[in-house]
Amino acid sequence: MDMIIKNGTVVNASGAFKADVGIENGKIVCIADSISVGDCENVVDASGKLVLPGAIDAHTHLAMPFGGTVSSDDYFAGTRAAACGGTTTVFDFALQDFGEKMTDTVKRRDALCAPVAAVDYSFHVAVKDVENGLINGIGECVDIGVPSFKVFMVYDFGVTDGVFFQVLQKAKEVGALIEVHAENNELVNTLTKKYLSEGNTSAWYHYMSRPEFVEGEADERAIQWAKATGAPLYIVHLADKQGVEAVTKAKDEGYEIYAETCPQYLEFTSEVYKREDGRNFVCSPPMKGKESQVAIWEAIKRGDIDTVATDHCPFQSYEKDWGKDDFSKIPNGCAGIENMYPYMLSAANIGRISFEQAVALCSANPARIFGCKDKGAVSVGKDADIVIYDPTIDFTITNEKMHSDCDHTIWEGVTVHGYPVQTYCRGKLVYDNGEFVGEKGYGKFVKCSLK
Ligand code: URP
Ligand code: ZN
Ligand code: ZN
């Protein structure tokens, strides 16, 4: 064997147990009470530590052209930061150009990502154009291992309800999964115009122009189209109570509706937009009020939220400053790729959820929902994507300790209880006690299949 992790507690979504883990050629080949060391030269002592599957961040925007600029972590910086937070697979949104075949969208982004990715990666295609036969790209992408697609109901690249409906119909036909950013675009535009014309320009009015009902109505409408077409639907970055209730109801009725939330909605409320640095927290949907936050946590506990992902889309301070006097000019998005797994594991460590739940939300469920067959568990036959986690370390997040290229983090000063000490991606050590030790270009494209 190439490596043996000894004396740790393996935690999967299905349960926790003490075991040794044997690794060969990047795969987990043996899990047993005790594995004899033999001539293995790489033995890691995980006494007192948890041995976890690497996280899968199903929602990132790396080097994304957006808000008049490009998000500040490219595919290397973003995946480097991911590795240092225990994330071994990253899904990025490949945004289709108008007139572009979706398979070409994937190839265009893969050409940027493959040479530099430090951990494994895959793509969802963000659909803009389905005219002139481009809708058939959905089936073509399924065939090349990219079976998930996103539509935005907002922004200048948002789609109409009609396009959304067609995309769902096609997904149902070819076995794809559609994700949606659900907010009511008309209301956002109307409220934005109103507040700006009244001279209400601060970051607080980002929240006021996208309050709970702006997201809630769109969540319900999206679920309505999924029900009508019979297609599965995955709601990204769910942040409001009304949406949570709609998801719970649809699930109870037997519809295949999945919901993702993000750590920022679990930690912060809309109060952050009153802070001096409020613009740094501007993302869409915005953080909501306490009632929504409580509803999301409750939904996590009862299993109605399927995944936690980051929506990592950082911008530098000078770019956030463009909106100092006009909230609508603040590029939308925040950093979080390095914080998700530690944050959710910390929630487990302090007893808010179980470790099994944290692993389900951040690894096993995204692997299952997006069809990463080799990921999502510490079990024989899976890729050796493993995090060694020390539950005794307290770690206070500061931007200096992060591995992103962004010059600030909304997580500054937040303390998590417990922290990853090592991350392995397919058996290769990529993070070791505070240091990135991986390699540019090591990450491989993960071919996904929903069949
Ligand atoms: O503010 C955000 N979330 N920026 C990234 C794009 C998106 O909406 O997912
Ligand atoms: Zn979004
Ligand atoms: Zn996003």
Side-chain angles (χ1 to χ4, degrees):
M1 264 175 268
D2 301 329
M3 175 165 80
I4 301 171
I5 301 171
K6 286 198 81 65
N7 308 316
T9 299
V10 172
V11 184
N12 282 319
S14 53
F17 52 93
K18 283 203 152 250
D20 292 354
V21 179
I23 292 155
E24 204 168 281
N25 295 327
K27 290 277 183 188
I28 298 169
V29 292
C30 179
I31 298 181
D33 286 349
S34 179
I35 301 175
S36 104
V37 169
D39 56 7
C40 177
E41 287 176 5
N42 188 3
V43 178
V44 176
D45 181 19
S47 304
K49 314 273 195 317
L50 305 185
V51 179
L52 310 164
I56 297 172
D57 189 343
H59 187 153
T60 72
H61 303 274
L62 302 176
M64 188 199 185
F66 188 46
T69 180
V70 176
S71 61
S72 61
D73 276 339
D74 64 12
Y75 285 113
F76 176 54
T79 53
R80 176 183 65 204
C84 298
T87 290
T88 47
T89 306
V90 161
F91 276 82
D92 189 61
F93 288 97
L95 189 59
Q96 182 198 20
D97 282 338
F98 275 99
E100 185 180 42
K101 276 179 69 149
M102 293 180 209
T103 45
D104 288 342
T105 309
V106 173
K107 283 183 207 148
R108 177 167 55 79
R109 295 302 288 187
D110 194 33
L112 292 178
C113 188
V116 298
V119 297
D120 289 352
Y121 65 92
S122 196
F123 297 102
H124 316 288
V125 174
V127 178
K128 289 204 283 201
D129 190 358
V130 296
E131 295 304 317
N132 304 311
L134 291 175
I135 187 93
N136 295 319
I138 293 182
E140 290 158 8
C141 284
V142 169
D143 293 342
I144 61 164
V146 178
S148 46
F149 302 82
K150 180 177 181 186
V151 293
F152 289 87
M153 294 168 85
V154 289
Y155 307 136
D156 50 4
F157 47 84
V159 301
T160 61
D161 283 353
V163 170
F164 184 10
F165 193 80
Q166 289 177 62
V167 166
L168 283 166
Q169 281 181 316
K170 182 53 89 177
K172 169 79 179 160
E173 186 189 315
V174 302
L177 176 63
I178 304 305
E179 306 162 62
V180 62
H181 173 138
E183 287 184 296
N184 184 311
N185 200 36
E186 284 281 303
L187 285 184
V188 171
N189 292 339
T190 300
L191 291 170
T192 301
K193 221 163 136 187
K194 166 187 150 62
Y195 288 120
L196 289 178
S197 71
E198 291 168 356
N200 292 314
T201 58
S202 74
W204 172 250
Y205 291 92
H206 173 69
Y207 165 64
M208 290 295 281
S209 62
R210 309 175 101 105
E212 277 73 352
F213 59 82
V214 162
E215 186 184 342
E217 183 274 342
D219 291 326
E220 287 176 350
R221 188 151 39 98
I223 290 171
Q224 170 69 32
W225 306 144
K227 285 181 178 176
T229 54
L233 179 71
Y234 178 101
I235 301 180
V236 298
H237 49 44
L238 187 68
D240 74 297
K241 184 180 174 190
Q242 188 181 341
V244 166
E245 287 170 352
V247 166
T248 298
K249 182 166 173 288
K251 280 178 183 278
D252 289 349
E253 289 167 350
Y255 291 99
E256 197 179 340
I257 305 290
Y258 302 106
E260 163 200 287
T261 195
C262 310
Q264 55 270 32
Y265 304 121
L266 297 169
E267 177 66 13
F268 306 109
T269 67
S270 48
E271 289 300 300
V272 291
Y273 298 114
K274 294 178 180 164
R275 285 169 44 163
E276 183 61 33
D277 62 347
R279 63 189 167 280
N280 290 344
F281 292 80
V282 164
C283 59
S284 294
M287 309 339 157
K288 304 295 200 312
K290 193 74 196 168
E291 227 186 305
S292 281
Q293 191 181 66
V294 170
I296 301 169
W297 272 113
E298 289 307 311
I300 281 184
K301 286 185 209 161
R302 61 173 190 270
D304 285 340
I305 299 282
D306 299 281
T307 65
V308 173
T310 62
D311 196 8
H312 183 80
C313 189
F315 295 98
Q316 303 292 8
S317 302
Y318 79 89
E319 295 165 315
K320 289 289 195 183
D321 286 350
W322 292 337
K324 236 178 171 151
D325 302 314
D326 178 347
F327 66 88
S328 72
K329 295 197 167 72
I330 304 167
N332 284 201
C334 305
I337 207 165
E338 198 167 343
N339 312 110
M340 170 183 78
Y341 212 19
Y343 181 76
M344 294 310 294
L345 292 167
S346 176
N349 212 5
I350 61 173
R352 196 154 194 183
I353 54 173
S354 67
F355 278 108
E356 286 88 341
Q357 279 174 308
V359 167
L361 290 159
C362 300
S363 182
N365 292 355
R368 175 175 48 80
I369 293 168
F370 294 109
C372 314
K373 309 278 188 226
D374 295 333
K375 311 284 187 189
V378 177
S379 72
V380 172
K382 297 278 187 190
D383 286 349
D385 294 347
I386 291 176
V387 172
I388 314 267
Y389 176 83
D390 186 343
T392 67
I393 297 172
D394 274 358
F395 184 96
T396 299
I397 300 165
T398 63
N399 203 51
E400 293 89 82
K401 291 190 224 156
M402 298 293 99
H403 299 81
S404 142
D405 275 351
C406 192
D407 64 357
H408 67 279
T409 172
I410 57 169
W411 293 92
E412 189 77 32
V414 174
T415 297
V416 290
H417 306 288
Y419 212 72
V421 287
Q422 288 189 326
T423 306
Y424 294 87
C425 180
R426 281 178 287 109
K428 179 184 168 61
L429 186 64
V430 291
Y431 167 76
D432 192 16
N433 282 293
E435 299 293 330
F436 172 72
V437 295
E439 213 181 283
K440 221 178 193 174
Y442 174 78
K444 276 204 177 128
F445 173 69
V446 179
K447 215 173 162 180
C448 300
S449 169
L450 301 181
K451 297 212 173 87

